[in-house]
Amino acid sequence: MVVGGSGVDTVVRVDSLPVPLSDSVGVGPIRESPGHTGGNVALGCRALGLNVTLLDYIGDDWPGHQVRARLAEGGVVFEPLLSPTGTRRAVNLVDPAGRRMSFYDARDPGELRMPRDFYLPHLRRARHIHLSITNFARFLYDDIEALGVPVSTDLHDWDGLDDHHREFALRSDLVFLSTVGARERIASVMREILRDGRARAVIATAGAGGSYLLTRDGSSTPRPIPAAVPPAPVVDSNGAGDAYLCGFLYGHLSGRDLEESARLGALAGAHACTAEGSASLIGPAELVPHQV
């Protein structure tokens, strides 16, 4: 089960990042598509054959209708609540190398909460729960822990300091994040998550630089996991981290060890870079034969 994090991306392809300061910049066709981290994880896990339910708030608006249609097309069971502020949006600038800069419009009011009688029946049926770092998702942790269901989260570019991410970091069993935020401090941040929280493993993705795995029962130095070679030219890195997470969860939930799961994550992430947005979803037949 996935909680939170759906929305619509507007992708603008630019010649370089950062973009030059100018009153007007000519670009290619601007594309809009449903995505965001929760939607991408739900669709990616479903494409790998996992049964997926997504709980989230969306608006009764055109972007919300796009989200509903894309999730239905992908076979995800979507249980939405109506947001008073509309569906989340993001504008992503993408350069020719597939690198991106995202402008994220979260929209959710700080007091937004999911009703307990809405989400609790779904928690009871879940084998694994993935919480997006939407603010309302943090209020599900007490019930998740009481039920004993494993939970994962993605902190994205957390620098190890911002308080919004900390509860997610310390109360999840599997913690994913990017090396972008903490940079040279990433190993220290990974160790702090293990030391202060309940995580079994922390996984830091580094794009073309591969990823790093740190486990509670292993060395205090993160193990490097090499990046996979994309099966086609890189087009767009949007959603690559979400795809990595899906590959990892597929391996983990099918009984593979953490390092093997990380290698499957790397393959799924590389595959996602070969098409725009969430259009390139790897299936199990493509993922599993590449195992070492």
Side-chain angles (χ1 to χ4, degrees), residues 25-50:
V25 177
V27 298
I30 295 174
R31 179 183 57 81
E32 289 193 312
S33 65
H36 289 211
T37 183
N40 288 342
V41 169
L43 288 164
C45 285
R46 183 70 192 110
L48 285 167
L50 301 174

Side-chain angles (χ1 to χ4, degrees), residues 23-73:
D23 180 66
S24 178
V25 177
V27 298
I30 295 174
R31 179 183 57 81
E32 289 193 312
S33 65
H36 289 211
T37 183
N40 288 342
V41 169
L43 288 164
C45 285
R46 183 70 192 110
L48 285 167
L50 301 174
N51 293 322
V52 183
T53 296
L54 171 62
L55 309 182
D56 200 6
Y57 279 95
I58 60 168
D60 182 16
D61 49 24
W62 177 72
H65 301 158
Q66 283 192 296
V67 169
R68 288 177 184 268
R70 179 68 181 96
L71 292 169
E73 177 190 3

Side-chain angles (χ1 to χ4, degrees), residues 40 43-44 47 70 271-272 278-283 286:
N40 288 342
L43 288 164
R70 179 68 181 96
H271 188 275
S278 61
S280 186
L281 300 176
I282 197 168
E286 299 167 288

Side-chain angles (χ1 to χ4, degrees), residues 191-280:
R191 285 191 288 268
E192 288 172 12
I193 292 171
L194 284 185
R195 183 194 69 207
D196 298 338
R198 57 174 291 166
R200 177 185 175 193
V202 182
I203 304 96
T205 57
S211 58
Y212 299 89
L213 173 67
L214 188 64
T215 62
R216 187 168 293 278
D217 56 358
S219 166
S220 61
T221 301
R223 298 199 296 276
I225 306 295
V229 177
V234 171
V235 173
D236 184 354
S237 63
N238 281 296
D242 299 326
Y244 181 107
L245 193 154
C246 293
F248 189 105
L249 289 182
Y250 174 83
H252 179 64
L253 293 174
S254 57
R256 292 164 174 83
D257 65 34
L258 293 168
E259 185 163 343
E260 188 175 6
S261 297
R263 293 181 184 277
L264 293 180
L267 288 164
H271 188 275
C273 293
T274 62
E276 293 185 343
S278 61
S280 186

Side-chain angles (χ1 to χ4, degrees), residues 4-291:
S6 63
V8 170
D9 290 321
T10 298
V11 177
V12 182
R13 305 196 72 86
V14 297
D15 291 334
S16 63
L17 289 174
V19 296
L21 182 61
S22 175
D23 180 66
S24 178
V25 177
V27 298
I30 295 174
R31 179 183 57 81
E32 289 193 312
S33 65
H36 289 211
T37 183
N40 288 342
V41 169
L43 288 164
C45 285
R46 183 70 192 110
L48 285 167
L50 301 174
N51 293 322
V52 183
T53 296
L54 171 62
L55 309 182
D56 200 6
Y57 279 95
I58 60 168
D60 182 16
D61 49 24
W62 177 72
H65 301 158
Q66 283 192 296
V67 169
R68 288 177 184 268
R70 179 68 181 96
L71 292 169
E73 177 190 3
V76 173
V77 176
F78 185 34
E79 299 287 350
L81 293 168
L82 186 62
S83 170
T85 52
T87 304
R88 302 175 202 94
R89 304 294 303 273
V91 175
N92 300 325
L93 307 184
V94 181
D95 74 4
R99 295 171 299 185
R100 70 160 189 170
M101 182 175 184
S102 181
F103 300 85
Y104 179 53
D105 173 6
R107 291 182 180 252
D108 296 335
E111 66 275 11
L112 191 66
R113 303 285 184 274
M114 274 191 168
R116 192 166 182 263
D117 60 357
F118 166 75
Y119 69 73
L120 199 53
H122 296 287
L123 296 189
R124 290 182 175 133
R125 293 193 294 269
R127 178 186 175 196
H128 181 94
I129 298 165
H130 180 75
L131 293 185
S132 302
I133 55 171
T134 48
N135 188 59
F136 61 77
R138 72 175 70 249
F139 298 98
L140 277 64
Y141 271 114
D142 287 345
D143 285 315
I144 292 171
E145 290 178 8
L147 292 168
V149 184
V151 59
S152 58
T153 195
D154 187 349
L155 307 177
H156 302 286
D157 58 350
W158 189 41
D159 60 4
L161 303 173
D162 188 274
D163 284 339
H164 174 83
H165 302 69
R166 189 169 304 279
E167 183 171 12
F168 293 94
L170 301 185
R171 299 188 72 178
S172 298
D173 300 286
L174 294 173
V175 177
F176 297 82
L177 74 165
S178 163
T179 61
V180 171
R183 298 185 182 275
E184 68 278 356
R185 296 175 43 253
I186 190 64
S188 175
V189 170
M190 294 172 76
R191 285 191 288 268
E192 288 172 12
I193 292 171
L194 284 185
R195 183 194 69 207
D196 298 338
R198 57 174 291 166
R200 177 185 175 193
V202 182
I203 304 96
T205 57
S211 58
Y212 299 89
L213 173 67
L214 188 64
T215 62
R216 187 168 293 278
D217 56 358
S219 166
S220 61
T221 301
R223 298 199 296 276
I225 306 295
V229 177
V234 171
V235 173
D236 184 354
S237 63
N238 281 296
D242 299 326
Y244 181 107
L245 193 154
C246 293
F248 189 105
L249 289 182
Y250 174 83
H252 179 64
L253 293 174
S254 57
R256 292 164 174 83
D257 65 34
L258 293 168
E259 185 163 343
E260 188 175 6
S261 297
R263 293 181 184 277
L264 293 180
L267 288 164
H271 188 275
C273 293
T274 62
E276 293 185 343
S278 61
S280 186
L281 300 176
I282 197 168
E286 299 167 288
L287 185 65
V288 173
H290 294 283
Q291 294 177 76

